[in-house]
Amino acid sequence: MTADAPLAVEVASAAFVDSLVAHGVEHVCITPGSRSTPLTIAFAMQPAVRPWLHLDERASAFFALGLAKATRRPVALVCTSGTAAANYYPAVTEAHLSGVPLIVCTTDRPPRLRDVGAEQTMPQAAMFGATTRFAQDLPTPHGASFEAAFFATVAMRAVRESLGPYPGPVHLNFPFEEPLIGAGARQQRPAPSIHPIHAGTPGPLDADIEAALGVLKTAAAPLIVAGPEVPESAIGPIASLAATLGAPLLADPLSGLRLGVHDRSHVMAAYDAVLRDRRASGPCAPDVVVRFGGRPTSKALNGLLDDARAVHILCEPWGSWRVGSVAMDQVLPGDPAASAAALADGLRGHARTEAGWFRGWSTRDQAAGAAMRHAAMEPGPLFEGRVFIELQEALAPGTTVVAGNSMPVRDLDSFTVSDAKPLRFISNRGANGIDGVNSTALGVAAAGPGPTVLVIGDLSFYHDLTGLWAAKRHQLDLTVILINNNGGGIFHYLPQAAHEDIFETWFGTPGDIEFEHAVRLFGGHYERIDGWEAFRSALDGDRKGLRVLELQTDRAVNTAWHRTAWQRAASAAWDQAGVAHATV
Ligand SMILES: Cc1ncc(C[n+]2csc(CCOP(=O)(O)OP(=O)(O)O)c2C)c(N)n1
Ligand SMILES: [Mg+2]
């Protein structure tokens, strides 16, 4: 080896990175460290990939998750050895459960330094367990002639495995020997020619389609359920399947079917309010359910599905099974768009759905939706549910709204009506975590196109405060609607709320945090919002950089207000409109 020849770790890292890029990886999220030096430099010296620096691994991984959720393309991650890698775990879990492609590259001591008390060393091989689609503990590069080809193939396989048939995280552990930096560090490499590996899952089997058609052709009361993360290509076919079958289409806001210019004639949006009433159990019980996407946000809908004595049919990519505790009767593994299209084709002229079934659903849905909206718009202190009504009106088409877990995503579900204006909604519903949400939203903002708005509760915002640093470092534009009810508002709906002696300390958990300081710490613009006029004009204002609009709300007032809204919706659906049409 001559003095200026690159090191073996540099050759392997460059071959790996160039191959990732050649197969379609456009973004990498990197955190500082020593063991990761060869990979960090290999990414930095490849102009065709966009590197995003982060200072902590938990935020870095959630940012990568947001980027990958928004682009549906694999995003790479690089970190040093030890607990750095363990900080990836929450985001890897969410990626696993919501089908998001990540290529997680952890760096490690070589095997001779494992389990012997070496610094910053922990068991890293396959450390993410069952949450990865594929994991490999790689060999230490030593300079063998085959190594460049080997690491290039590892990269290609990683991209392939992350994309499916059901996308998800892939983990590669790189054990590197010192020295970690040499002559290769100074060599910028040309962009490789790019042939992206395509995402996708093979179509359903004809026999499965035939079996499902056999059931659907005799269905009198079929339901179609579109849960979170339906692929965009399936939106049109699912909408026309519902129309062909004459079936109510229960569209979760995260499915992409509730809003947009596709055929929304069969879309239901207020089913959560309708199904909260116990009178729903008979008239809303389906005989066949066709499921697309993940488990819906609405607890009431999940209750109906869990209990329904219907034939349950699941249309998901190979490897995806996100139905909760419902027992399935038929599974159509394969491309959901192809399944929906094939079912619609086969049903044309053969549907036997009772007209009253659809009319009953539709009438109740409209009555409940109008009552919810009416209740939310009444004057009074700031009502959390109204945030989404105001946003739906004010935001420009093409805006992405990231909804935090806990009440924000539930209010999104309860108060967003079906409409032609396309807004995209994203939420971490795989693991329902209140962690990493700021970073996820910043990753979404980094992906573009269009503006990004985050709606988040105070505890969730606190959980990922350090993630806000990325907004400053990368000059990202994000508007955060911070709903500060000083604690966990969601727990007021649980039975422990009745136990006043323990509730506030252990569940209400007020944090008493003055967020203004934290926002300024990261160079953001902070504004306290006292009323809806002010909210609207703030939304209309300058959208550059990190902007936090804080709405201080009261948990008890909000709980009571939600209950009133649900009661009025139930009464609108079941006392009047619902009963009048139930016999039609
Ligand atoms: C990482 C993580 N820790 C804890 C929880 C449990 N949890 C669910 S909701 C919630 C309260 C969230 O409070 P906040 O973000 O203020 O939203 P709010 O309930 O007030 O709408 C907690 C602690 C969780 N889902 N994820
Ligand atoms: Mg809160």
Side-chain angles (χ1 to χ4, degrees):
M1 192 166 67
T2 59
D4 57 356
L7 301 171
V9 286
E10 290 173 330
V11 173
S13 298
F16 173 76
V17 168
D18 289 356
S19 173
L20 277 189
V21 173
H23 292 106
V25 172
E26 293 171 353
H27 300 274
V28 59
C29 296
I30 299 175
T31 40
S34 164
R35 195 56 49 170
S36 45
T37 299
L39 278 180
T40 297
I41 294 176
F43 275 112
M45 293 289 141
Q46 174 46 261
V49 66
R50 176 128 193 219
W52 299 90
L53 177 75
H54 295 270
L55 298 183
D56 80 86
E57 287 75 18
R58 190 176 62 154
S60 183
F62 274 110
F63 187 97
L65 175 87
L67 256 173
K69 271 199 182 196
T71 59
R72 299 199 183 229
R73 294 294 306 166
V75 172
L77 276 156
V78 174
C79 73
T80 189
S81 63
T83 54
N87 275 281
Y88 281 166
Y89 208 166
V92 171
T93 303
E94 173 63 26
H96 162 57
L97 293 169
S98 53
V100 177
L102 290 180
I103 297 176
V104 181
C105 306
T106 59
T107 52
D108 198 355
R109 298 285 190 282
R112 70 184 176 83
L113 292 175
R114 295 180 188 169
D115 301 315
V116 293
E119 301 82 349
Q120 223 178 298
T121 306
M122 65 171 284
Q124 282 182 209
M127 68 186 289
F128 301 107
T131 62
T132 50
R133 300 283 180 274
F134 174 71
Q136 199 170 4
D137 189 22
L138 294 161
T140 305
H142 285 294
S145 60
F146 59 79
E147 278 173 4
F150 170 77
F151 280 94
T153 306
V154 165
M156 189 246 265
R157 178 164 183 197
V159 175
R160 179 64 270 164
E161 302 275 0
S162 77
L163 282 171
Y166 182 46
V170 165
H171 176 210
L172 302 173
N173 191 47
F174 291 82
F176 288 149
E177 281 281 8
E178 292 180 14
L180 299 164
I181 183 162
R186 287 178 297 280
Q187 291 167 10
Q188 228 203 7
R189 305 184 307 286
S193 55
I194 295 172
H195 312 280
I197 292 178
H198 296 292
T201 183
L205 302 175
D206 292 345
D208 290 340
I209 292 290
E210 284 311 314
L213 284 174
V215 173
L216 283 166
K217 281 178 182 171
T218 60
L223 268 189
I224 302 195
V225 178
E229 281 124 23
V230 166
E232 223 172 289
S233 58
I235 289 175
I238 294 173
S240 52
L241 169 62
T244 309
L245 191 55
L249 167 52
L250 279 46
D252 191 279
L254 305 170
S255 68
L257 274 126
R258 197 179 282 190
L259 305 186
V261 292
H262 53 273
D263 175 3
R264 287 175 296 100
S265 58
H266 287 65
V267 165
M268 308 285 139
Y271 50 83
D272 179 77
V274 173
L275 297 172
R276 278 172 183 272
D277 195 284
R278 58 183 167 70
R279 283 170 283 183
S281 59
C284 291
D287 59 4
V288 181
V289 182
V290 187
R291 302 275 301 256
F292 296 88
R295 188 162 164 90
T297 307
S298 163
K299 197 172 170 184
L301 171 56
N302 286 320
L304 175 88
L305 298 174
D306 290 355
D307 295 342
R309 285 214 207 124
V311 180
H312 293 267
I313 302 173
L314 175 62
C315 302
E316 271 285 90
W318 293 91
S320 165
W321 190 286
R322 302 181 286 170
V323 292
S325 62
V326 186
M328 284 295 127
D329 298 283
Q330 291 191 12
V331 191
L332 276 63
D335 177 13
S339 296
L343 292 176
D345 273 355
L347 283 166
R348 223 150 265 135
H350 296 286
R352 296 283 171 272
T353 303
E354 284 172 9
W357 165 250
F358 177 75
R359 246 191 336 262
W361 265 96
S362 172
T363 311
R364 287 185 201 104
D365 195 73
Q366 278 169 29
M372 290 291 282
R373 193 180 173 83
H374 202 256
M377 297 302 278
E378 286 204 349
L382 288 174
F383 174 51
E384 294 172 11
R386 181 160 166 179
V387 166
F388 288 99
I389 296 177
E390 295 284 344
L391 285 180
Q392 196 172 8
E393 239 146 66
L395 296 179
T399 303
T400 301
V401 179
V402 179
N405 274 313
S406 207
M407 288 312 287
V409 73
R410 289 185 169 78
D411 283 339
L412 166 73
D413 192 17
S414 296
F415 294 99
T416 305
V417 294
S418 181
D419 188 65
K421 189 203 299 182
L423 300 173
R424 178 171 61 158
F425 299 119
I426 289 181
S427 185
N428 285 342
R429 292 305 287 167
N432 308 358
I434 62 161
D435 48 348
V437 180
N438 293 335
S439 299
T440 306
L442 286 166
V444 170
T452 307
V453 173
L454 166 65
V455 184
I456 187 166
D458 52 302
L459 297 188
S460 313
F461 188 65
Y462 160 76
H463 211 298
D464 192 23
L465 271 187
T466 53
L468 296 178
W469 178 83
K472 181 181 165 123
R473 175 68 165 81
H474 301 296
Q475 301 187 338
L476 297 169
D477 302 329
L478 177 71
T479 299
V480 179
I481 317 295
L482 168 58
I483 300 180
N484 185 359
N485 54 21
N486 201 20
I490 197 166
F491 298 122
H492 286 258
Y493 304 90
L494 300 181
Q496 52 265 56
H499 302 274
E500 279 170 25
D501 50 333
I502 50 158
F503 181 78
E504 202 51 15
T505 306
W506 300 108
F507 302 97
T509 56
D512 299 320
I513 298 164
E514 290 180 33
F515 288 106
E516 183 171 358
H517 304 294
V519 175
R520 295 208 197 289
L521 186 65
F522 297 108
H525 168 86
Y526 169 90
E527 203 173 325
R528 166 98 187 267
I529 302 291
D530 289 320
W532 299 112
E533 278 293 322
F535 186 57
R536 267 171 244 146
S537 60
L539 284 176
D540 225 20
D542 179 22
R543 293 203 191 88
K544 285 280 159 234
L546 172 68
R547 288 195 319 156
V548 177
L549 312 180
E550 177 175 351
L551 281 71
Q552 294 189 358
T553 59
D554 182 283
R555 283 185 265 128
V557 166
N558 270 280
T559 314
W561 204 322
H562 275 95
R563 294 223 159 95
T564 305
W566 288 326
Q567 247 160 29
R568 291 215 204 141
S571 137
W574 294 104
D575 294 344
Q576 300 147 31
V579 172
H581 288 266
T583 50
V584 172

